Amino acid sequence: MSRWEPDAQGRLQQAALELYTERGFDQTTVAEIAERAGLTERTFFRYFADKREVLFGGQAPLLELLTKSVAEAPDSASPLDAVGVALEGAAAFLDGRRDGSRLRQAVIDANPALQERDLAKRAAMAGAIAEGLVHRGVSETTARLTAEAGAAVFGLAFEQWLAADRHGLAYFVRRALAELKTLS
Amino acid sequence: MSRWEPDAQGRLQQAALELYTERGFDQTTVAEIAERAGLTERTFFRYFADKREVLFGGQAPLLELLTKSVAEAPDSASPLDAVGVALEGAAAFLDGRRDGSRLRQAVIDANPALQERDLAKRAAMAGAIAEGLVHRGVSETTARLTAEAGAAVFGLAFEQWLAADRHGLAYFVRRALAELKTLS
């Protein structure tokens, strides 16, 4: 058997999601995940620090993408429009993974500790967006508020996308963003 | 010694905050909190489920106040203005406790697990606000988005209030809300 495992990370994520769905997050061990994926525990820990990271790992590239897209949006874009451009980019990052995202969300929704971690992830998203806005010369207060509103838009759009059968995530992002602009 | 302890709850909260500040949250035991307050561990557990609840307990009345204030704001108020009325009410609830709130926030900021709990608290606030908006006949989507934006306004205003020497919390709430309305 080769020591190199093609897509070991993806197989571990898939196995973990199956087991969390079948048995619950708390009832699943790393050994079981590795076995289901046909890999060793050692391989598991090469990719993930713990069971939770299988669900939440890999956020760094998304955060970097958000900061960069906001910072590099056209000069003419308002702060909120710059956020909109970035969120549509993030949506493209997730589109095509609706089924896996649904399973993952169901696991999170069933576990209060995972829900808190999910909120922390969204706060990190707002932080990454705000950082991009500050790069654009937007004041700290406006940056924070716009970023939080943007993260709320994304959170709502994400939920609607999971519940829907048609339309990509970007569609729901645009719709929620348009609605945000009408608040007064 | 009387079995009835005047303001046992407040004394336990005060003692806990002192000890968390002096030694750190993880390094403080319930026994130490009770001792500092001149009370027993048994009394501690009559008021709080655990060490964390000393910091986060008592949110229920604030959430009820938020839902009720939003629901009962004048019919003429827009969804966001109804939220504004409710947030100013919540601000009045906290005003006059700036010093204690600062100590509390410093304890939370020093501990990632407490930070996640703090985010969950804010999500609960958004939920309570959205509930009030739905009572007003606002659509689910608008309610969620307005509530999330309102919670972001409150979070930002709260931070600015903690950092400031002048102005009450309501001042910062009004200012952030006005800024939110200019996003486009």
Side-chain angles (χ1 to χ4, degrees):
Chain A
M1 179 176 133
S2 164
R3 292 186 65 82
W4 180 75
E5 300 290 348
D7 195 26
Q9 185 171 14
R11 281 159 59 195
L12 287 163
Q13 284 172 322
Q14 177 65 28
L17 209 47
E18 286 172 17
L19 288 164
Y20 296 165
T21 302
E22 291 165 23
R23 304 179 188 180
F25 177 80
D26 287 331
Q27 285 72 46
T28 301
T29 66
V30 166
E32 289 165 342
I33 296 168
E35 193 192 342
R36 171 79 60 111
L39 297 165
T40 62
E41 277 191 72
R42 177 190 287 259
T43 304
F44 179 95
F45 288 114
R46 203 178 299 151
Y47 290 98
F48 305 106
D50 56 36
K51 267 183 4 178
R52 210 161 72 154
E53 278 304 297
V54 183
L55 290 168
F56 293 105
Q59 198 193 1
L62 180 62
L63 297 183
E64 277 166 36
L65 175 72
L66 281 171
T67 303
K68 191 167 144 47
S69 321
V70 170
E72 295 177 357
D75 286 349
S76 59
S78 71
L80 194 57
D81 285 329
V83 173
V85 169
L87 292 180
E88 289 198 40
F93 200 85
L94 284 163
D95 250 327
R97 305 193 214 170
R98 182 147 38 191
D99 289 340
S101 298
R102 274 181 189 145
L103 287 179
R104 181 181 168 281
Q105 198 61 44
V107 172
I108 292 169
D109 289 347
N111 187 311
L114 295 177
Q115 283 165 41
E116 293 196 356
R117 184 70 188 70
D118 202 31
L119 290 171
K121 191 183 157 179
R122 187 158 129 197
M125 242 182 103
I129 294 170
E131 195 184 325
L133 288 169
V134 168
H135 275 298
R136 295 177 72 77
V138 173
S139 80
E140 182 76 24
T141 303
T142 306
R144 284 278 308 283
L145 205 52
T146 312
E148 297 275 0
V153 158
F154 195 81
L156 182 63
F158 186 76
E159 260 184 46
Q160 293 176 328
W161 173 67
L162 289 188
D165 291 317
R166 311 190 305 134
H167 301 302
L169 180 48
Y171 167 84
F172 294 102
V173 165
R174 276 193 299 274
R175 213 177 57 160
L177 205 57
E179 172 130 24
L180 177 69
K181 289 185 181 185
T182 69
L183 298 184
S184 60
Chain B
M1 182 176 131
S2 163
R3 292 185 64 82
W4 181 75
E5 299 290 348
D7 194 25
Q9 185 171 16
R11 282 159 59 194
L12 287 163
Q13 284 173 320
Q14 177 65 28
L17 208 47
E18 287 172 16
L19 287 164
Y20 296 165
T21 303
E22 292 165 21
R23 305 178 188 179
F25 178 80
D26 287 330
Q27 285 73 45
T28 301
T29 67
V30 167
E32 289 165 341
I33 296 168
E35 193 192 343
R36 172 79 60 110
L39 297 165
T40 61
E41 277 191 72
R42 175 190 289 257
T43 304
F44 178 95
F45 287 114
R46 203 178 300 151
Y47 289 98
F48 306 105
D50 56 35
K51 268 184 0 178
R52 211 161 72 152
E53 278 305 295
V54 184
L55 290 168
F56 294 105
Q59 198 193 359
L62 179 62
L63 296 183
E64 278 166 35
L65 175 71
L66 281 171
T67 303
K68 191 167 145 44
S69 320
V70 170
E72 295 178 358
D75 286 348
S76 59
S78 72
L80 193 57
D81 285 330
V83 173
V85 168
L87 292 180
E88 289 198 39
F93 200 83
L94 284 163
D95 251 327
R97 306 192 213 172
R98 180 145 41 190
D99 290 340
S101 298
R102 275 181 188 146
L103 287 180
R104 181 180 166 282
Q105 199 60 44
V107 171
I108 292 169
D109 289 347
N111 188 311
L114 296 177
Q115 284 165 40
E116 294 196 356
R117 185 69 187 71
D118 202 31
L119 290 171
K121 191 183 157 178
R122 188 159 126 194
M125 242 182 103
I129 294 171
E131 195 185 326
L133 288 170
V134 169
H135 275 298
R136 295 177 71 78
V138 173
S139 79
E140 182 78 23
T141 303
T142 306
R144 285 280 308 282
L145 204 54
T146 312
E148 297 274 1
V153 158
F154 196 80
L156 182 64
F158 186 76
E159 260 184 46
Q160 293 176 328
W161 172 66
L162 289 187
D165 291 317
R166 311 189 307 132
H167 302 299
L169 180 49
Y171 166 84
F172 293 103
V173 166
R174 277 192 298 273
R175 213 176 56 161
L177 205 58
E179 173 131 23
L180 177 69
K181 290 185 181 184
T182 69
L183 298 185
S184 61

